[in-house]
């Protein structure tokens, strides 16, 4: 099937969604996604960040779809034409969705461990507003301890359901889920039971915001101060690939995460032993430094790229007035010419 997104055409297999087709094309046409996750079945269709405009349904039915469609759950049709960044309707919708997601979200970026690699931070930077119209009291929740390795900040949660799907599809005994309804909905363990499953740490990797963070890394460092390296080890835990990213500060491994692609999705899930227990350099075989997105916050501290020498060239005209002022305030001991004395005494007006 042939699909056109923002004027760029691509052939896709039947069953491919618009979001998947856009990711195949790449670039600015890729819609943002806060709830969809390729490796989690049933994800998508909740956050509404990936809305697109279908200008042509298909060759058989060329009528445009009247409403904006969620690209992560809308399948492609042969001859379909989609507008993403090229549509003003889409841009306005994404701004509205971003504003809605930020209604109850606290301004925790200065203290949040997710800052620098947060999908909501990137979304608000691109589609957010500098001012807010929301004057009501924000929704808040009491802190809850869900175990020794994972820190839950429910106030930051956007209810994307990714962590629940991870527990459903990777573990045998899910003990947490979404409690209550409406604006009271929250992630909880029902009976205040700790989450201790061997693959529970993957909830941290799939969380698009700072609602679930690594307790062993909490407040240790900013991510852009760490140097990430691809590493692997022979892991004996069934289902764990042993391939990770280790984040180093000097010779110290401060945290371990799964390897993520350009869309911030992990290539393979890892076990808690690799994530939380193996923090010595001797535990890993270091493969080399990772590459990052061109405009990533982390990439600003990346030493693998060539840096040009900064040369500051100041035009002489900018400092001309300063030279004149220096003469005006010269002390009597500094010899002045006759013209300069006249200017110093009478001024230059």
């Amino acid at each position: 099937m042939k699909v056109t997104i923002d004027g760029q055409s691509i052939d896709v297999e039947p069953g491919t969604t618009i979001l998947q087709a856009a990711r195949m094309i790449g670039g600015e046409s890729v819609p943002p996604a806060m709830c969809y996750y390729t490796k989690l079945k049933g994800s998508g269709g909740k956050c509404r960040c990936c809305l697109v405009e279908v200008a042509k349904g298909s060759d058989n039915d060329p009528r445009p779809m009247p409403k904006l469609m969620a690209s992560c759950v809308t399948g492609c049709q042969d001859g379909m034409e989609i507008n993403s960044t090229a549509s003003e309707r889409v841009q306005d919708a994404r701004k509205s969705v971003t504003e809605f997601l930020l209604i109850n979200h606290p301004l925790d970026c200065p203290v949040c461990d997710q800052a620098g690699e947060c999908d909501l931070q990137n979304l608000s930077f691109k589609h957010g507003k500098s001012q807010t119209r929301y004057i009501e009291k924000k929704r808040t929740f009491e802190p809850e301890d869900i175990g020794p390795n994972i820190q839950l900040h429910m106030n930051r949660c956007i209810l994307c359901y990714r962590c629940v799907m991870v527990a459903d599809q990777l573990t045998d005994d899910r003990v947490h889920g979404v409690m209550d309804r409406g604006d009271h909905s929250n992630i909880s363990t029902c009976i205040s039971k700790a989450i201790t499953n061997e693959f529970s740490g993957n909830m941290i990797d799939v969380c698009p915001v700072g609602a679930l963070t690594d307790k062993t890394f909490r407040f240790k460092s900013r991510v852009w101060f760490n140097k990430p390296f691809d590493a692997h080890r022979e892991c004996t835990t069934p289902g764990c690939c042993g391939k990770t990213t280790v984040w180093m500060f000097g010779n110290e491994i401060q945290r371990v995460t799964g390897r993520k692609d350009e869309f911030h999705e992990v290539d393979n899930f890892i076990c808690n032993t690799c994530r939380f227990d193996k923090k010595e350099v001797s535990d890993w075989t270091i493969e080399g430094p990772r590459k990052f997105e061109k405009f990533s916050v982390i990439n600003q501290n990346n030493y693998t790229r060539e840096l040009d020498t900064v040369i500051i060239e100041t035009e002489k005209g900018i400092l001309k007035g300063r030279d004149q002022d220096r003469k005006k305030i010269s002390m009597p001991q500094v010899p002045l010419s006759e013209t300069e004395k006249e200017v110093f005494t009478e001024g230059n007006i």
Side-chain angles (χ1 to χ4, degrees), residues 126-263:
K126 190 171 184 179
H127 301 289
K129 299 178 180 179
S130 58
Q131 298 176 343
T132 178
R133 298 180 292 174
Y134 191 74
I135 60 175
E136 288 77 17
K137 187 177 180 180
K138 289 181 179 288
R139 176 200 63 184
T140 57
F141 297 92
E142 293 295 326
E144 183 177 356
D145 187 6
I146 60 173
N149 296 321
I150 303 175
Q151 180 70 39
L152 172 62
H153 300 269
M154 189 54 224
N155 292 339
R156 303 172 186 168
C157 181
I158 61 170
L159 294 175
C160 68
Y161 289 77
R162 284 182 181 178
C163 63
V164 180
M165 293 178 183
V166 163
D168 267 337
Q169 300 173 24
L170 293 186
T171 65
D172 298 327
D173 50 350
R174 175 168 68 89
V175 297
H176 80 288
V178 179
M179 306 293 108
D180 302 325
R181 295 183 178 183
D183 63 345
H184 296 285
S185 298
N186 64 98
I187 301 293
S188 178
T189 57
C190 304
I191 53 176
S192 298
K193 185 177 180 181
I195 300 177
T196 57
N197 189 278
E198 185 59 31
F199 283 85
S200 62
N202 293 287
M203 294 162 50
I204 300 172
D205 281 342
V206 303
C207 183
V209 294
L212 295 167
T213 54
D214 187 347
K215 272 190 177 180
T216 64
F217 179 67
R218 196 178 188 206
F219 301 147
K220 274 193 174 181
S221 175
R222 287 303 200 179
V223 292
W224 52 83
F225 292 142
N226 292 154
K227 304 297 183 184
F229 294 83
D230 281 339
H232 68 271
R233 61 180 290 269
E234 295 296 330
C235 184
T236 57
T237 304
C240 179
C241 64
K243 297 179 180 179
T244 65
T245 298
V246 294
W247 299 74
M248 301 182 66
F249 188 84
N251 294 323
E252 176 191 2
I253 296 179
Q254 293 195 332
R255 71 167 179 162
V256 179
T257 65
R259 298 184 185 181
K260 295 185 178 183
D261 59 19
E262 59 181 316
F263 305 113

